[in-house]
Amino acid sequence: APRTVQNFTDYVNDGYYDRAVFHRSVPNFMIQGGGYKLGQHGQMLRKTIPRPPIQSEGQNGLMNRKGTIAMGRSRDPHSADLQFFFNLKDNPMLNPSGQDPWGQTVFGEIIEGMDVVERMAQVPTLTREVPSIDGPITLSSLPNDWIYIKSARVLP
């Protein structure tokens, strides 16, 4: 998934994942982040998206299996931007199929630290209204305690 990986690493290099909040956690399914950040006063803020969405590479043959990393998107298969998720189990319904010929684009795999991701998924969730650039938005499956990325870097 070369375009997807380039998009993701560009956001990492620009610091977009620093203080990025995991805003959706669904046990035995997935945990999602990237689109919100933790503000300086402990509030969660929706991020602006400086780049256009990318074309789906969901037909790349990579499957949504436990421990893979995929791009979040809307119903439009070509709407992925900076949100991503970790698959907590094999999720064949996210793979290309007759209902969705594009599927969710898998672009990486957790090679170390899956136990940390599984602990993240154990944090109780709630529904909460949070500020966004378009006004307040209600999020369900939001971890009760902030889970966020302190800093993200591309390693050589």
Side-chain angles (χ1 to χ4, degrees), residues 17-27 30-39 42-45 47 84 86 88 113 115-126 128 139 141-151:
Y17 294 119
D18 294 354
R19 298 181 63 80
V21 173
F22 287 92
H23 67 276
R24 184 174 176 217
S25 180
V26 181
M30 55 82 92
I31 186 165
Q32 183 173 348
Y36 296 84
K37 67 181 176 181
L38 190 60
Q43 78 280 33
M44 191 171 97
L45 305 168
K47 292 183 176 190
F84 62 94
F86 302 129
L88 297 171
D115 59 320
V116 174
V117 174
E118 289 171 341
R119 284 196 315 261
M120 290 165 52
Q122 298 303 313
V123 173
T125 61
L126 50 77
R128 181 185 292 169
L139 296 175
S141 303
L142 178 67
N144 191 39
D145 297 318
W146 296 133
I147 302 171
Y148 66 97
I149 299 168
K150 282 186 177 182
S151 176

Side-chain angles (χ1 to χ4, degrees), residues 2 13 18 21 25 42-43 63-64 84 93-94 97 101-102 106 109 119-121 128 146 153 155:
N13 289 332
D18 294 354
V21 173
S25 180
Q43 78 280 33
M63 300 293 119
N64 284 276
F84 62 94
M93 69 284 209
L94 300 178
S97 68
W102 291 98
V106 173
E109 182 177 9
R119 284 196 315 261
M120 290 165 52
R128 181 185 292 169
W146 296 133
R153 300 291 174 261
L155 301 175

Side-chain angles (χ1 to χ4, degrees), residues 3-148:
R3 288 186 304 252
T4 304
V5 169
Q6 186 64 56
N7 178 71
F8 187 81
T9 56
D10 286 347
Y11 278 119
V12 169
N13 289 332
D14 290 347
Y16 255 74
Y17 294 119
D18 294 354
R19 298 181 63 80
V21 173
F22 287 92
H23 67 276
R24 184 174 176 217
S25 180
V26 181
N28 203 32
F29 178 48
M30 55 82 92
I31 186 165
Q32 183 173 348
Y36 296 84
K37 67 181 176 181
L38 190 60
Q40 291 185 343
H41 302 290
Q43 78 280 33
M44 191 171 97
L45 305 168
R46 190 170 187 173
K47 292 183 176 190
T48 57
I49 303 168
R51 295 186 184 94
I54 57 173
Q55 292 292 304
S56 175
E57 294 177 296
Q59 298 174 335
N60 62 13
L62 301 175
M63 300 293 119
N64 284 276
R65 293 194 172 104
K66 181 178 180 176
T68 57
I69 307 166
M71 290 303 291
R73 65 167 174 88
S74 69
R75 286 194 165 93
D76 176 354
H78 308 297
S79 63
D81 45 50
L82 52 85
Q83 292 193 36
F84 62 94
F85 62 91
F86 302 129
N87 282 295
L88 297 171
K89 69 174 191 99
D90 290 353
N91 287 313
M93 69 284 209
L94 300 178
N95 297 330
S97 68
Q99 257 186 320
D100 181 0
W102 291 98
Q104 303 291 121
T105 301
V106 173
F107 69 97
E109 182 177 9
I110 298 168
I111 55 172
E112 191 175 316
M114 189 63 189
D115 59 320
V116 174
V117 174
E118 289 171 341
R119 284 196 315 261
M120 290 165 52
Q122 298 303 313
V123 173
T125 61
L126 50 77
T127 299
R128 181 185 292 169
E129 187 176 273
V130 297
S132 85
I133 55 175
D134 303 317
I137 185 169
T138 301
L139 296 175
S140 58
S141 303
L142 178 67
N144 191 39
D145 297 318
W146 296 133
I147 302 171
Y148 66 97

